[in-house]
Amino acid sequence: MAASALRRGLWSTVSKYNRKHTHRILSVADSSSGFQAFRQRPQCRSCGLTGVAPPVRFMSTRPEGKILETVGVFEAVKQHGKYETGQLFLHSVFGYRGIVLFPWHARLYDRDITPPMSDSKPDPPGSHGSKEVKGKTHTYYQVLIDTRDCPHISQRSQTEAVTFLANHDDSRALYAIPGLDYVSHEDILPYNSTEQVPIQHELFERFLMYNPTKSPPFTSRDTLKAWQDKNHPWLELSDVHRETTENIRVTVIPFYMGMREAQNSHVYWWRYCIRLENMGSEVVQLRERHWRIFSLSGTLETVRGRGVVGREPVLSKEQPAFQYSSHVSLQAPSGHMWGTFRIERTDGSHFDVRIPPFSLESNKDDKAPPAGYTF
């Protein structure tokens, strides 16, 4: 759409989804012709954006030169079952447009829920707390993010969070697939579109094809299945860990990346994705991180530093979430991580938010190296 006179951006999400009504989804488009007016619905708690109803005379509050443009129609949220390959959606927290590639069934260990003593996961030795946590099956989805929306979410969520070890001698070399994400079932706001290519991503037409006889009308190509099978060990999402401290919820998802040899020893790599979400109304800012990393070899490492990935994100009612990914390596096939984030209130006082303990497991060492873009 390089020649298009309208360039869509990320001003497209809904605040309070009403399953009894069908709403149009609108995004902002640049235009020199001024404003287009719509009646506004309540503002989204998670990203400060608004849903809309059918056009009624109302002065737009969008930046000058922006208008709203219809991109699709919302569908009913699925309370049971799962979304199929090809389902279009808006992310309920970060607001981007995306499409489902395939589901993952993970075990969610939620430390905010008090479980029975059986079927629970104990804390690793030395970690904070002693509460055992019961795992519950939960659906996540591998998705593609519309690249037009990436610039608008880059301050709140990394769009190159899915990384792989490179296939050459440099044991520390990583590469990323931009616009690939994992999304929880409850973060999906499904919609449909009449466009045959509704999502802009370089892998969209490699992985999916338009089929108007199907619902949703986008089906997987053989290349998607082949890519999924070949990269399954390094894409697989198996465990999710969650804990809330003083209205700040931390969710951690670890991924095993593989093993490399370095200086006559084996180095095992993991990436972990962390989401912080402010569930309250008070504005806070992340200032410091404090990690404890235990290796099966018997070493215990402490890591302290300012912020995360070079940032000190503010979590407010309008923009309550921040998501990032990082990496850790051990000279042992397994270990544990846990820690705290130091959070600052607007009055200058601080409190520590617990990072739920999670395991680093390498139970897929006999697999071939990740294939990345290879089809």
Side-chain angles (χ1 to χ4, degrees):
M1 297 184 66
S4 175
L6 299 179
R7 179 173 58 82
R8 297 178 189 173
L10 177 73
W11 293 95
S12 54
T13 191
V14 71
S15 54
K16 299 182 183 294
Y17 188 82
N18 188 339
R19 294 169 55 210
K20 296 180 180 178
H21 303 281
T22 299
H23 299 306
R24 291 186 301 158
I25 307 166
L26 296 103
S27 67
V28 163
D30 293 336
S31 173
S32 59
S33 60
F35 291 88
Q36 183 170 337
F38 292 88
R39 181 176 56 187
Q40 295 186 342
R41 290 195 180 275
Q43 197 174 53
C44 178
R45 181 192 73 82
S46 61
C47 59
L49 305 178
T50 55
V52 295
V56 174
R57 297 298 301 174
F58 190 93
M59 181 58 71
S60 171
T61 58
R62 297 301 183 192
E64 185 175 358
K66 304 286 186 178
I67 63 171
L68 293 175
E69 175 184 306
T70 302
V71 297
V73 177
F74 274 120
E75 299 175 349
V77 170
K78 285 193 175 183
Q79 302 297 326
H80 305 285
K82 62 181 178 65
Y83 296 106
E84 301 297 328
T85 296
Q87 176 65 62
L88 296 167
F89 69 92
L90 293 186
H91 196 294
S92 67
V93 175
F94 298 112
Y96 64 72
R97 289 166 286 180
I99 192 165
V100 170
L101 296 180
F102 45 81
W104 293 110
H105 299 293
R107 296 294 291 175
L108 172 62
Y109 297 94
D110 193 339
R111 300 175 69 84
D112 300 330
I113 299 174
T114 302
M117 294 301 293
S118 61
D119 192 23
S120 299
K121 195 162 190 173
D123 289 345
S127 66
H128 59 264
S130 58
K131 180 168 59 177
E132 292 186 344
V133 185
K134 181 179 180 180
K136 180 180 179 181
T137 301
H138 194 75
T139 302
Y140 277 73
Y141 300 94
Q142 196 86 67
V143 307
L144 295 180
I145 303 173
D146 194 311
T147 56
R148 294 167 293 185
D149 295 342
C150 290
H152 302 279
I153 63 173
S154 60
Q155 295 302 310
R156 294 187 291 142
S157 178
Q158 291 176 319
T159 57
E160 297 185 357
V162 181
T163 52
F164 295 86
L165 290 176
N167 286 323
H168 50 70
D169 294 336
D170 186 350
S171 64
R172 298 178 59 87
L174 303 173
Y175 68 91
I177 300 180
L180 194 65
D181 199 5
Y182 296 83
V183 179
S184 177
H185 183 87
E186 66 267 20
D187 287 338
I188 297 283
L189 294 178
Y191 75 92
N192 60 64
S193 171
T194 58
E195 296 183 50
Q196 294 189 19
V197 185
I199 300 297
Q200 289 190 10
H201 190 287
E202 62 180 318
L203 295 179
F204 179 87
E205 292 186 273
R206 285 200 183 196
F207 285 168
L208 302 163
M209 67 176 71
Y210 180 69
N211 186 343
T213 66
K214 301 291 185 179
S215 180
F218 304 100
T219 57
S220 62
R221 296 182 183 271
D222 292 341
T223 48
L224 175 58
K225 179 63 175 174
W227 183 80
Q228 179 185 2
D229 290 344
K230 200 165 189 178
N231 293 278
H232 183 278
W234 295 272
L235 289 170
E236 183 181 11
L237 187 159
S238 57
D239 290 350
V240 180
H241 304 265
R242 179 183 294 165
E243 184 169 3
T244 304
T245 307
E246 296 195 35
N247 287 324
I248 305 300
R249 186 166 68 185
V250 178
T251 303
V252 184
I253 308 176
F255 300 88
Y256 177 58
M257 298 178 66
M259 181 271 292
R260 292 290 183 269
E261 293 186 7
Q263 298 178 348
N264 298 321
S265 66
H266 291 168
V267 179
Y268 299 83
W269 282 86
W270 293 263
R271 72 176 182 271
Y272 53 91
C273 179
I274 292 187
R275 181 161 118 184
L276 295 99
E277 190 167 2
N278 187 350
M279 311 302 292
S281 58
E282 185 179 17
V283 178
V284 298
Q285 185 170 10
L286 188 154
R287 290 299 192 187
E288 299 176 10
R289 68 189 185 280
H290 177 201
W291 282 106
R292 304 276 279 177
I293 306 168
F294 176 77
S295 170
L296 185 65
S297 63
T299 62
L300 180 61
E301 182 181 1
T302 298
V303 178
R304 294 181 181 269
R306 295 286 296 182
V308 290
V309 293
R311 302 181 187 179
E312 297 180 22
V314 174
L315 305 177
S316 63
K317 187 175 181 180
E318 292 72 28
Q319 295 192 348
F322 180 79
Q323 182 171 293
Y324 75 97
S325 290
S326 191
H327 303 86
V328 63
S329 63
L330 300 176
Q331 291 185 342
S334 65
H336 291 91
M337 290 180 66
W338 66 96
T340 56
F341 292 122
R342 175 61 57 91
I343 304 295
E344 184 179 39
R345 301 183 180 93
T346 53
D347 63 4
S349 61
H350 297 82
F351 62 98
D352 288 335
V353 170
R354 291 184 294 275
I355 304 170
F358 57 96
S359 298
L360 302 171
E361 303 291 348
S362 59
N363 54 358
K364 310 177 186 70
D365 289 347
D366 56 337
K367 304 293 182 180
Y373 273 117
T374 303
F375 298 97

